[in-house]
Amino acid sequence: MSAKFRSVVRGVGACLPERVVSNAELAARIDTSDEWIAQRTGIRQRHVAGEGETTVTLGTRAASRALARAGLQPAEIDLIIVATSTPDHTFPASATEIQAALGITQGVAFDLQAVCSGFVFGVTTADKFLASGSHKRALVIGAETFSRILDWQDRTTCVLFGDGAGAMVLEAVEGGDKGVITSKLRSDGRHRAKLYVDGGPSTTQTVGHLRMEGKEVFKHAVGMVTDVIKACFEDAGVSAQDIDWFVPHQANRRIIDASADKLGIARDKVVITVDRHGNTSAASIPLALDVAVSDGRIKPGDLVMIEAMGGGFTWGAALIRW
Ligand code: UT7
């Protein structure tokens, strides 16, 4: 049964912390090198939140910019979904904090936790609300300050991540061919031990630190994301050649290249920001979308595939006609 409303992208926005940390700066602090990080991951630098910069402040700025791009007022938003694993507080949700910071008093706001897949899960969730007709305009925000849950002595993880936020405004539109065409979400909790945080309110009463068996995650990543992307292709009746832009989660350049190659997506259609941003978890896709919209690559009418895989494991993909 096809839905009455399509979730159409009205605008995207982003916000990165001011401070940039290069690989060389990390190499001066821990036993690593620019060469190792760049070769194994494609990362050359990342942004790191400073004093006064939090998931909520970065997310609020990204959302304001997305609203400005959309030409909408905060009062026109009735759904806010914030994908984050690094909320400002255990509760309330960062979504309600951002709602208040934007001066929005109507509608509903909640956080969604799917780690690096959070933005794809958020877009899919918002799409269900909008397609049903229950809500009219959504802000989907991916906002993270992973620098605050990293073990800065663990070179196998601390060189990989960065901070930032990105946002997308979606509007329910009747008819037309634009908007979220299809999406596929998956999760499998048996993989918990490969990527997790070793603390939390109900266990250690601490925030904890990120722990990852990088090689194990890598091994699963390409197969998982290509499976959900192929399912989207099948659902939509399109092929890799029809895609204008492939905007993957930015964890590792080698994972991105291998996924694009396996799917037959040309390398010049792949949006890469991992070199500048590192892995910003749920923020990486909207940050990359913002870059590719701002520099004129993504244009109205383009077919855009987003995908991600992360802790849980969770993974998913969504196909959007811009
Ligand atoms: O966003 C959520 C999803 N996360 C991911 O997608 C991450 C997936 N995993 C990866 O991206 C890669 O597995 C890593 C980048 C984390 C690691 O790359 P790898 O090619 O799998 O390297 P490795 O873990 O096998 O480590 C190779 C060597 C080891 O030394 P030995 O045992 O061969 O002597 C590590 O100790 O590299 C060493 N190493 C480092 N050396 C310099 C590990 N981290 C570093 C480092 N600097 N930062």
Side-chain angles (χ1 to χ4, degrees):
M1 196 183 75
S2 65
K4 190 172 178 197
F5 296 98
R6 276 280 184 82
S7 308
V8 175
V9 179
R10 287 300 185 213
V12 292
C15 181
L16 288 158
E18 259 176 52
R19 184 161 135 70
V20 173
V21 175
S22 67
N23 290 348
E25 186 179 336
L26 289 181
R29 282 195 253 147
I30 55 166
D31 181 18
T32 189
S33 65
D34 175 42
E35 195 194 5
W36 190 95
I37 301 169
Q39 270 183 8
R40 301 279 177 143
T41 71
I43 299 167
R44 299 207 165 269
Q45 61 169 51
R46 71 286 296 140
H47 291 250
V48 174
E51 207 179 322
E53 288 176 321
T54 70
T55 292
V56 167
T57 68
L58 297 170
T60 303
R61 265 176 239 144
S64 296
R65 287 169 189 165
L67 284 169
R69 277 253 184 80
L72 292 171
Q73 295 303 314
E76 294 174 278
I77 297 294
D78 57 2
L79 171 64
I80 302 173
I81 299 176
V82 176
T84 188
S85 302
T86 47
D88 279 23
H89 302 100
T90 302
F91 76 80
S94 292
T96 54
E97 298 197 56
I98 291 173
Q99 181 190 30
L102 292 170
I104 298 176
T105 52
Q106 72 286 345
V108 61
F110 57 89
D111 284 4
L112 185 154
Q113 160 62 288
V115 204
C116 296
S117 312
F119 189 75
V120 179
F121 277 54
V123 166
T124 302
T125 305
D127 180 47
K128 308 281 184 206
F129 276 75
L130 299 183
S132 77
S134 69
H135 291 72
K136 186 71 187 147
R137 289 182 207 87
L139 257 174
V140 183
I141 301 164
E144 303 279 17
T145 43
F146 261 51
S147 65
R148 293 183 175 142
I149 56 163
L150 294 174
D151 173 353
W152 286 97
Q153 303 309 313
D154 175 11
R155 69 175 185 171
T156 69
T157 53
C158 76
V159 302
L160 304 173
F161 295 89
D163 300 335
M168 175 186 275
V169 178
L170 289 169
E171 183 172 33
V173 173
E174 217 174 327
D177 66 345
K178 289 189 176 173
V180 177
I181 295 168
T182 188
S183 60
K184 302 286 169 198
L185 304 183
R186 287 293 323 277
S187 51
D188 185 346
R190 288 175 298 176
H191 297 284
R192 178 198 182 280
K194 299 183 181 88
L195 178 50
Y196 66 102
V197 167
D198 64 4
S202 190
T203 49
T204 58
Q205 298 90 57
T206 62
V207 171
H209 291 114
L210 181 148
R211 304 293 173 202
M212 177 165 72
E213 292 174 32
K215 234 181 182 36
E216 284 298 311
V217 179
F218 198 120
K219 245 173 30 195
H220 287 85
V222 176
M224 285 175 162
V225 299
T226 53
D227 278 356
V228 283
I229 291 168
K230 281 182 189 158
C232 285
F233 283 160
E234 206 167 296
D235 213 22
V238 301
S239 67
Q241 288 73 40
D242 299 317
I243 298 298
D244 293 298
W245 299 107
F246 181 49
V247 187
H249 169 50
Q250 310 280 321
N252 186 317
R253 179 74 199 242
R254 287 152 59 211
I255 296 175
I256 295 171
D257 288 348
S259 305
D261 291 352
K262 191 170 170 193
L263 290 159
I265 297 174
R267 292 271 182 102
D268 60 0
K269 292 178 172 181
V270 184
V271 176
I272 301 281
T273 50
V274 70
D275 53 333
R276 284 164 280 170
H277 299 165
N279 180 350
T280 56
S281 192
S284 88
I285 293 172
L287 279 167
L289 288 170
D290 182 76
V291 167
V293 167
S294 301
D295 67 20
R297 272 180 288 176
I298 297 180
K299 294 177 293 299
D302 282 353
L303 198 55
V304 178
M305 176 67 81
I306 62 173
E307 59 87 348
M309 180 263 187
F313 289 153
T314 56
W315 65 106
L319 185 65
I320 305 169
R321 175 76 64 190
W322 213 258

